[in-house]
Amino acid sequence: MNSLLSAAFVLCWSSGFIGAKFGTGSADTSTLLMWRFVPLAVILLAVAAVSRTVWSGLDRRHVGRQIAIGALSQSGYLLSVYYAIQLGVSSGTTALIDGIQPLVAGALAGPLLGQYVTRGQFLGLGLGLAGVATVTLADAAAPGADAAWWAYLVPLLGMATLVAATFLEGRSRAPVAPRAALTIHCATSAVLFSALALATGSAIPPARTSFWLATVWLVALPTFGGYGLYWLIMRRSGVTEVNTLMFLMAPVTAVWGALMFDEHFGVRTGVGLALGLVAVVVVRRGARSAGDAYRGRGAQREGGAGPERSAGPERSAGREEGAGLPDPWETVPPRSEGSGAQRATR
């Protein structure tokens, strides 16, 4: 059962990039995103009006923070991903650039949150970036490639907004129920994308069947399927299992895009994706080393003198601020209520 759930999760999450490729072929990015999120927000707000218990304890400050997180992790991120694919960047390359977000966030955890980061973890980041560079160059040099060089910077911008949202949520000490966070994020995206579509004169959807098929695809598979399976696997197997599966999105999307849209998949593409998977292994080992070092320092503090023991709670509090970071870089258990809200939909 766990294997079937994992396979379904990877397929549903990867389908977001495929749906973006499918949809942007028949409509502008802003049109597709508006009509993806407006019906979704209406459904979620209607459900929220009936089951109000998920909103208990939320005040204006918490809602405002979730609006900001949604604007970064969902609106800004998806706009960049869809626009990059519309510009001609392959779905596999876009997925791989998105996939290094946990590595980048983990590397920044040291200077920004004071977390312990090993050399092995930085090595993993380097391998991940090398994989991205290899796949990007292969994509740009592929026969028939028509994307401008700057188009490959667009998904990097989306990845940066996702990293920013990760740290914004990681600093929140009040966990928000996943359903409440998803509702706020989708409502925020519906408003922002509607405003963008109206401002650019692209709010009226095309009459093509392919557009509405893509819209239904994006609501059903990556949103409800991917997000629902995310939390189901999280509760059954833990955050480590979920975040490990996340790194399978790029190769699955690359193969899917090659089969469905005839996107380029050559030797260099395979090498780049392999580097990304090796980076995951290196990072996971580095995370275990960091965890052992952290636990070792904790044991020394418990057996040491008074000043050493007094430093423990301060260090622990500092690390709890970053508990929303992706698991490969965690050395303490994450707050499961918040860690998935950053990547709620694709």
Side-chain angles (χ1 to χ4, degrees):
M1 177 61 72
N2 287 339
S3 298
L4 291 176
L5 288 176
S6 298
F9 169 67
V10 171
L11 289 174
C12 284
W13 205 274
S14 301
S15 69
F17 298 98
I18 302 301
K21 180 77 172 182
F22 187 31
T24 54
S26 57
D28 187 75
T29 292
S30 58
T31 310
L32 180 61
L33 286 169
M34 172 185 170
W35 288 101
R36 171 184 176 177
F37 279 101
V38 168
L40 182 58
V42 170
I43 293 172
L44 290 173
L45 288 171
V47 172
V50 176
S51 40
R52 299 181 180 180
T53 54
V54 297
W55 301 95
S56 59
L58 283 180
D59 57 22
R60 290 182 180 180
R61 183 170 59 88
H62 295 147
V63 173
R65 179 180 286 268
Q66 287 302 314
I67 290 174
I69 291 172
L72 288 169
S73 68
Q74 196 176 82
S75 306
Y77 165 72
L78 288 177
L79 180 62
S80 300
V81 167
Y82 281 46
Y83 186 50
I85 291 176
Q86 181 177 318
L87 290 172
V89 180
S90 72
S91 56
T93 300
T94 306
L96 182 59
I97 294 174
D98 166 52
I100 67 168
Q101 179 266 339
L103 307 182
V104 175
L108 294 176
L112 294 182
L113 296 180
Q115 294 192 6
Y116 184 74
V117 182
T118 67
R119 292 181 180 179
Q121 290 172 306
F122 279 113
L123 175 61
L125 174 62
L127 288 171
L129 293 175
V132 168
T134 302
V135 172
T136 300
L137 291 174
D139 189 15
D146 57 356
W149 66 268
W150 54 267
Y152 294 92
L153 301 178
V154 176
L156 282 175
L157 178 62
M159 187 266 292
T161 64
L162 203 56
V163 171
T166 299
F167 283 99
L168 179 60
E169 193 218 14
R171 289 184 177 276
S172 175
R173 294 189 178 274
V176 177
R179 190 165 56 180
L182 178 62
T183 302
I184 295 172
H185 295 175
C186 289
T188 300
S189 294
V191 171
L192 292 177
F193 290 137
S194 296
L196 177 62
L198 289 170
T200 56
S202 55
I204 299 176
R208 299 179 187 176
T209 303
S210 59
F211 172 82
W212 293 110
L213 287 175
T215 302
V216 173
W217 173 303
L218 290 168
V219 172
L221 292 179
T223 305
F224 289 119
Y227 188 70
L229 288 169
Y230 182 102
W231 286 107
L232 179 59
I233 296 174
M234 174 87 74
R235 287 164 183 162
R236 289 171 64 100
S237 305
V239 68
T240 299
E241 177 70 17
V242 173
N243 282 334
T244 299
L245 292 173
M246 284 286 187
F247 287 98
L248 297 177
M249 305 304 168
V252 169
T253 303
V255 172
W256 197 344
L259 293 175
M260 190 168 179
F261 302 112
D262 198 27
E263 293 182 340
H264 176 73
F265 193 106
V267 175
R268 284 194 295 173
T269 303
V271 170
L273 293 172
L275 283 173
L277 293 176
V278 171
V280 177
V281 176
V282 173
V283 165
R284 293 287 298 278
R285 289 180 177 177
R288 285 196 293 269
S289 299
D292 293 341
Y294 181 70
R295 286 189 291 271
R297 289 198 303 270
Q300 292 175 0
R301 285 197 298 269
E302 288 187 8
E308 282 293 316
R309 284 197 299 269
S310 67
E314 295 175 2
R315 292 179 63 87
S316 177
R319 297 186 63 80
E320 279 297 311
E321 285 187 350
L325 290 172
D327 177 75
W329 299 86
E330 295 278 9
T331 58
V332 292
R335 289 194 307 270
S336 62
E337 292 87 355
S339 59
Q342 311 148 6
R343 303 173 65 108
T345 56
R346 286 292 179 274

